[in-house]
Amino acid sequence: MDKRPVPTHVGIIMDGNGRWAKAHNVPRVMGHNAGMQAMKKIVIASSELGIKYLTVYAFSTENWKRSTEEVNGIFKLIVKYVNSELEELDKNNVHINIFGEYDMLPKASVDAINRMVGRLDANDGLVFNIALNYGGRDEILKSVRSLVSECVREGRDPSDLTEDDISRYLYSGSAHFDVPDPDLIIRTSGEERMSNFLTWQAAYSELMFTDTLWPDFTPEEYAEMIDAYANRDRRFGGRKSE
């Protein structure tokens, strides 16, 4: 493998499970199951590519608007994923964090997640962040509330607050998991919007979109995107060097 730069942190909006199911004339939950299989492959590929952090958008705060049947099916898949993949994740030294208030999920899902997170807590390989019952604006609001409480408690002057203070209380921040901002965010299925994903953290992320539906997204296409990232000129608001 060559030494071309790879992103430290990749975020993925896994979109297209429902359309995949419709195209294959199967129930939507079968599309989510196929998406879970794709996710397993991308987790492995991330480790092989040398990516240190992977964050996937698994269930947003807005997804509760979907049918009860589909939502319950997604939650059952969480339990299935833990039961089928926990040993393999541990074997591959994967560490898992959860971004979002997953304690609002059904008890079976919460118990499975807690078992997974606890089992993998000491691992120091790929850090796999799962955004679950997550919304970017909600995350920022919670961070601000925590920061306000800190100011009241410690007598801090709000005029002295910095962006780092807000970042500290995000799920990715040092008050929680200390995950760097994403270098690259990928969205599948042809849609080209962020959909409330890592709203604060994505300020300077490179964005890539593909028409491929998530269940059909392969490690090969993923590797091609990582190669394309290496050719991006990231200036973070500055000018290109002459």
Side-chain angles (χ1 to χ4, degrees):
M1 183 178 296
D2 62 29
K3 298 299 183 180
R4 300 184 72 190
V6 298
T8 299
H9 181 186
V10 176
I12 302 181
I13 301 173
M14 307 181 294
D15 194 19
N17 291 344
R19 274 167 282 175
W20 185 94
K22 184 177 181 179
H24 288 78
N25 197 30
V26 296
R28 287 180 66 89
V29 70
M30 295 300 294
H32 293 302
N33 186 71
M36 184 180 73
Q37 301 305 316
M39 185 179 73
K40 288 163 51 177
K41 295 175 183 177
I42 297 305
V43 170
I44 294 171
S46 295
S47 291
E48 293 175 345
L49 288 165
I51 293 163
K52 295 181 179 180
Y53 300 88
L54 172 68
T55 302
V56 301
Y57 207 4
F59 189 85
S60 76
T61 49
E62 290 77 28
N63 287 158
W64 291 100
K65 300 173 185 177
R66 298 184 179 186
S67 71
T68 301
E69 180 183 8
E70 181 177 358
V71 170
N72 288 340
I74 292 172
F75 294 156
K76 289 178 181 177
L77 281 175
I78 292 172
V79 178
K80 178 181 178 181
Y81 178 75
V82 173
N83 290 338
S84 65
E85 301 304 316
L86 184 53
E87 292 296 330
E88 190 69 15
L89 290 167
D90 198 14
K91 178 182 176 181
N92 286 287
N93 200 29
V94 175
H95 178 97
I96 286 186
N97 299 321
I98 306 296
F99 290 3
E101 294 189 338
Y102 72 93
D103 56 341
M104 296 177 63
L105 275 57
K107 185 177 184 302
S109 298
V110 173
D111 289 347
I113 292 167
N114 286 337
R115 179 161 58 90
M116 176 175 63
V117 170
R119 170 75 175 272
L120 306 179
D121 183 61
N123 291 350
D124 58 4
L126 173 72
V127 177
F128 181 29
N129 308 302
I130 303 175
L132 197 56
N133 195 26
Y134 170 90
R137 287 185 174 183
D138 183 64
E139 178 186 30
I140 295 169
L141 177 60
K142 286 182 170 61
S143 174
V144 171
R145 285 173 174 167
S146 296
L147 195 52
V148 168
S149 296
E150 178 185 295
C151 288
V152 172
R153 184 174 63 252
E154 299 181 4
R156 293 187 62 185
D157 185 344
S159 65
D160 293 333
L161 296 178
T162 67
E163 290 184 6
D164 287 342
D165 286 309
I166 293 178
S167 294
R168 182 158 45 91
Y169 280 110
L170 300 174
Y171 288 116
S172 57
S174 58
H176 294 282
F177 301 122
D178 204 13
V179 173
D181 291 345
D183 303 291
L184 170 65
I185 293 179
I186 295 169
R187 181 168 186 153
T188 60
S189 87
E191 304 291 349
E192 298 185 0
R193 56 180 178 271
M194 293 297 294
S195 295
N196 207 16
F197 179 58
L198 300 180
T199 306
W200 177 279
Q201 299 92 328
Y204 285 101
S205 300
E206 296 294 315
L207 306 179
M208 291 188 183
F209 304 99
T210 174
D211 290 336
T212 304
L213 301 177
W214 174 247
D216 294 328
F217 189 69
T218 64
E220 290 74 21
E221 183 174 3
Y222 186 39
E224 289 175 0
M225 287 184 154
I226 299 303
D227 280 344
Y229 166 86
N231 295 318
R232 296 280 182 99
D233 180 23
R234 304 190 72 203
R235 300 192 296 276
F236 300 94
R239 294 182 61 186
K240 183 176 181 179
S241 57
E242 299 297 335

